[in-house]
Amino acid sequence: MASFRTLFFTCSLFSFGILYSQQNDSVQIRQFFDEALLRGKSHEDLRSLCKDIGARITGSAQAQMAVEWGKRKMEEYGFDKVTLQPVDVPHWERGTKEVAWFQTAGNQVVQLDILALGGSIGTNGMLKAEVIQFNHLDELKRANKAQVQGKIVFLNQPMNPADIVTFTAYGGCYAIRGHGAVEAAKLGAVGVVIRSLAIPEDHNPHTGSMYYENGVTKIPAGALSTKSANLLAEAIQKGKTQLIFEMDCRDYPDVQSFNVVGELKGSSKSTEIITIGGHLDSWDTGEGAHDDGAGIIHCLEAIRILKQLKIQPRHTIRVVFFMNEENGNKGGEGYAKWTIDNGENHVAAIESDRGGFTPHGFECDGPDNYLELIQSFKSLLSPYGLYHFEKGYGGVDINPLKGAHKGIPLFGFVPDSQRYFDFHHAPSDVFENVNKRELELGCASMAAFVYLLDKNL
């Protein structure tokens, strides 16, 4: 009987300990949200990045200024260590403003909204040819060379508006942007234009990376706004149509840039590292506010909050502002190699690169026990609207860590996706289109997730 009492007493103490720990965590998480919402720095920091620096395509003066901005911010907030990690990155420039028109058989001329796709060659003056439309990349692949030879290919595949998660719709038609120029060139096309990867019908063309293949002729590639794509499709349906466009973009030799790396040191005995981050570079058409200024700010502000509230993590929390996610991922690849070369022990990584919208949760790319771990956070985080803890994707920048550190779990911040592709890679991706409260909620969510992950890994 005495042994039963002892067991009962021991179990009661254990249950009380768990309950006390959860209550303590709940109070702490409330403080994170109070700090972000009442005394936060995130909105002003994003304004500074977008307005004082601007668009940050790799190789540009703005990208270099963003590196200096990131280092200065980490030092200002008292990070324990701030390092610039060198990486060589591509240097591509858009050049003078792109222009485009279509001309009908009746000599009607209509101007179109166009942006060069990232990495495209220029047109070497004005390019004019008959345009031929395909509604899917597979449809182009099945075409006869005689149909396409000497023409400009127009790939008019829309993102599927029925997909609830807009990233699914984006993935469904990404190939027209990434591989359209190669497939068109194989059939003798002289150029390619695509329907922008966007759901809204508006006048904002959306850029993004495209690729060439060795041995396949390089042809210029551009993206039309969704409204311009509709106009061109209507013209083609009525009869033979010429497309005229001019782009002055070009490649330059690679240049040196940097990942900006800051740390909040863990307990003195710990050598384990949790990386959190987003990418500092952006396309050159807007201000990179959602993609990925918001992600950078989520991570910067999360660590500022932990420091402000005097949280001492068990693990070292390392914040990385990655350079060159948009057109090469040299920052992510270089960082993963750097961690190996330095003999570091990395136990988890978290990325924010899905915009600054209302936070919903986090996804796990890793073994099931890590998914079960973050699902155990749900009771503490659901009062703040965080309910999505599922298998999924971590992020482009942190993905190379999987090859560098076997079994490492990767976690991706998940905000609401419905408006992301209104702004993605477009001139409209500017500071004014990021909601202050949604951004602050994302920062607090990141701080809370890092806190719980650090305690429970």
Side-chain angles (χ1 to χ4, degrees), residues 106-117:
N107 286 326
Q108 180 190 14
V109 175
V110 176
Q111 189 168 18
L112 301 171
D113 313 304
I114 189 170
L115 283 174
L117 293 179

Side-chain angles (χ1 to χ4, degrees), residues 160-190:
N160 184 0
D163 284 324
I164 303 303
V165 178
T166 60
F167 286 91
T168 303
Y170 174 75
C173 57
Y174 162 80
I176 66 170
R177 192 187 79 204
H179 309 295
V182 168
E183 298 303 327
K186 287 177 181 177
L187 296 174
V190 296

Side-chain angles (χ1 to χ4, degrees), residues 10 39 48 62 125 141 155 179 200 264-265 280 294 325-326 351 355 364 398 407:
T10 302
R39 295 171 292 277
S48 177
Q62 291 93 331
K141 290 179 180 180
L155 289 165
H179 309 295
L264 179 58
K265 289 290 187 182
L280 188 55
E325 187 270 352
E326 293 292 8
E351 183 164 340
C364 176
I398 63 176

Side-chain angles (χ1 to χ4, degrees), residues 381-416:
L381 297 179
S382 60
Y384 304 96
L386 300 170
Y387 60 87
H388 181 97
F389 298 93
E390 305 293 342
K391 276 281 191 184
Y393 187 58
V396 171
D397 293 299
I398 63 176
N399 200 54
L401 288 170
K402 287 200 294 188
H405 301 276
K406 187 174 180 181
I408 186 173
L410 308 181
F411 302 98
F413 172 71
V414 180
D416 185 87

Side-chain angles (χ1 to χ4, degrees), residues 180-256:
V182 168
E183 298 303 327
K186 287 177 181 177
L187 296 174
V190 296
V192 63
V193 294
I194 69 164
R195 181 188 188 90
S196 281
L197 305 191
I199 291 176
E201 292 194 0
D202 59 26
H203 288 288
N204 289 314
H206 296 237
T207 189
S209 285
M210 51 80 59
Y211 303 97
Y212 293 116
E213 286 183 12
N214 290 334
V216 179
T217 301
K218 293 182 178 181
I219 60 174
L224 302 175
S225 72
T226 51
K227 278 193 175 291
S228 287
N230 291 342
L231 287 173
L232 181 57
E234 290 170 8
I236 293 170
Q237 194 172 33
K238 293 176 182 176
K240 184 176 178 179
T241 303
Q242 301 276 327
L243 184 64
I244 309 107
F245 70 111
E246 184 176 52
M247 306 191 310
D248 189 34
C249 38
R250 62 196 68 185
D251 279 312
Y252 295 91
D254 289 357
V255 299
Q256 186 182 72

